[in-house]
Amino acid sequence: MGDTLLTLSIPALLLASGLCTVARTWWRRRHPAPPSPYTQQAARLAEGREQP
């Protein structure tokens, strides 16, 4: 019985990992992260403008 559970746990783990990856990808596509203020600040500094 122990060997059967070990044999079945590997595909179950791979399936769960794949489902988590798909769900995470779907969520990130629907809810993108807001732009970072640090990149905006770096762009202003590169242009030579002062911060407000």
Side-chain angles (χ1 to χ4, degrees):
M1 183 71 180
D3 292 339
T4 304
L5 288 177
L6 180 62
T7 303
L8 292 176
S9 68
I10 294 170
L13 182 64
L14 291 174
L15 179 66
S17 175
L19 288 175
C20 287
T21 302
V22 168
R24 190 177 303 125
T25 302
W26 176 85
W27 181 263
R28 281 287 141 218
R29 285 185 181 169
R30 301 294 187 280
H31 303 89
S36 172
Y38 297 110
T39 56
Q40 293 172 359
Q41 180 182 7
R44 282 195 302 266
L45 290 173
E47 292 176 1
R49 287 190 289 165
E50 294 293 322
Q51 292 182 1

